[in-house]
Structure formats: structure tokens, C-alpha cells
């Protein structure tokens, strides 16, 4: 079985960089950068940190991973997997971790039964398929694919939504 996801026209994916924390958010004290996900059914990315700024992009898929790169009041400057940056109100975001299968891949990623490259393959996942992250070891992430009730492990370097070497439960 192959799972796929639509890709916006002209979207250019970006690879995650090492999770070096250069600073802490001036509002929350949490690490910058960090990954979050989209909470809202419909969320406007704006060109500046206020509703007076124009809408740059409208997101319509709850759970999409975003990377917070700055904070200002209740606003978060975010970047998506295509490299688009803008501002979103913090109420539109969630700390629930999600990821997309690496948009830069030219081949599908394997969802495996165990965190081992020789483990049984459960399903092939095409680039940009949305997954929920349960945990990451720094090399493998335990994930689930909601639409197909599939659970297993994906190599961490095949995901946008977890930094290389990042570990969490």
C-alpha cells in the first residue's frame, strides 16, 4: 500500500537543520527554534504579528507541522516545510508533535514494525504524508498514520518535524 499527499504547486521543501538552540523565546522561554503543529481547521499566516497585517497564506489542514522561529506577544513566527515564513497567533498552534514524510525525498519512506532497517515493512509512505509523532530516539521515530490506523517506525532523517538527533518521549 502506498499513501500519498497533495503537494502545493511550486512548493520547495526544506530539510531540517540540527536542533541547536540559539536562544529561548522572549515570551515563553521555550527553545527557539522548535516544532509545533497546527491546531485550527483554518489558520491565517500573516506577514506581521497582528491582525492588521495582510494574510500571506491560509492553512486548512489541522496537524500540519510548523517550526516556530520567533515570538512576539501572542504571535509566533513560523516556517512550514516548503520554507514559507510568516506569523500566526499562538491560539492556532498546538504542542502536539507531528511530521510529514520528507518532502525532499525522491523515493517513498518505509514504515517499519521495529526501529531497525531490516524490520518488516508495514507500508510505504510518499513524501508529505502527515504522521503523528509518539517518540524519537535520535535515529528512529515511532509514528502513527491516522487515516490508515498504521503504526510503526520511520527513520528520523526521513521526517520534517523532528530535528536530526532530537530525542523525546
Amino acid at each position: 500500500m502506498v499513501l500519498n499527499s497533495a503537494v502545493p504547486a511550486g512548493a520547495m521543501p526544506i530539510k531540517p537543520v540540527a536542533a541547536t538552540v540559539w536562544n529561548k523565546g522572549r515570551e515563553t522561554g521555550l527553545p527557539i527554534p522548535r516544532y509545533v503543529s497546527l491546531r485550527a481547521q483554518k489558520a491565517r499566516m500573516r506577514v506581521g504579528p497582528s491582525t492588521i497585517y495582510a494574510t500571506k497564506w491560509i492553512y486548512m489542514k489541522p496537524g500540519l507541522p510548523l517550526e516556530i522561529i520567533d515570538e512576539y506577544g501572542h504571535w509566533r513566527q513560523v516556517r512550514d516545510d516548503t520554507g514559507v515564513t510568516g506569523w500566526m497567533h499562538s491560539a492556532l498552534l498546538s504542542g502536539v508533535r507531528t511530521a510529514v514524510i520528507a518532502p525532499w525525498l525522491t523515493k517513498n519512506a518505509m514504515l517499519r514494525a521495529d526501529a531497525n532497517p531490516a524490520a518488516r515493512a508495514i507500508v510505504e509512505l510518499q513524501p508529505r504524508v502527515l504522521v503523528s509523532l509518539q517518540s524519537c530516539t535520535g535515529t528512529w521515530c515511532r509514528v502513527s498514520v491516522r487515516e490508515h490506523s498504521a503504526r510503526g517506525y520511520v527513520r528520523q532523517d526521513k521526517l520534517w518535524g523532528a530535528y536530526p538527533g532530537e530525542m523525546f518521549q
Side-chain angles (χ1 to χ4, degrees):
M1 175 193 308
V2 176
L3 305 180
N4 74 22
S5 179
V7 178
M12 297 301 298
I14 61 167
K15 290 186 179 182
V17 295
T20 302
V21 177
W22 293 103
N23 53 44
K24 293 185 177 192
R26 64 184 127 194
E27 305 298 333
T28 64
L30 296 172
I32 298 286
R34 69 181 179 277
Y35 284 109
V36 295
S37 60
L38 190 61
R39 174 180 296 168
Q41 293 284 336
K42 182 177 179 181
R44 294 178 186 274
M45 176 187 278
R46 297 186 177 272
V47 297
S50 170
T51 56
I52 66 168
Y53 289 97
T55 298
K56 186 173 190 176
W57 200 256
I58 297 175
Y59 292 84
M60 307 276 291
K61 179 83 173 159
L64 283 177
L66 295 166
E67 184 180 34
I68 293 179
I69 56 176
D70 200 3
E71 300 178 346
Y72 181 80
H74 292 289
W75 292 84
R76 305 295 175 258
Q77 188 177 30
V78 297
R79 176 175 28 230
D80 70 15
D81 67 291
T82 67
V84 173
T85 62
W87 293 86
M88 287 188 172
H89 194 278
S90 60
L92 300 172
L93 306 173
S94 168
V96 173
R97 294 293 296 271
T98 63
V100 290
I101 300 300
W104 58 86
L105 292 179
T106 55
K107 298 189 322 182
N108 296 339
M110 288 297 191
L111 180 67
R112 300 204 174 268
D114 289 304
N116 181 327
R120 177 178 58 87
I122 297 171
V123 68
E124 285 184 54
L125 301 170
Q126 289 187 340
R128 287 201 166 90
V129 167
L130 181 64
V131 299
S132 295
L133 297 178
Q134 273 78 57
S135 63
C136 290
T137 66
T139 307
W140 290 87
C141 292
R142 181 165 167 71
V143 306
S144 63
V145 185
R146 293 180 205 155
E147 291 83 17
H148 299 279
S149 300
R151 291 180 184 271
Y153 294 84
V154 174
R155 285 192 52 87
Q156 200 158 330
D157 61 357
K158 306 281 188 221
L159 297 171
W160 192 89
Y163 296 107
E166 180 183 14
M167 296 184 281
F168 64 89
Q169 290 289 331

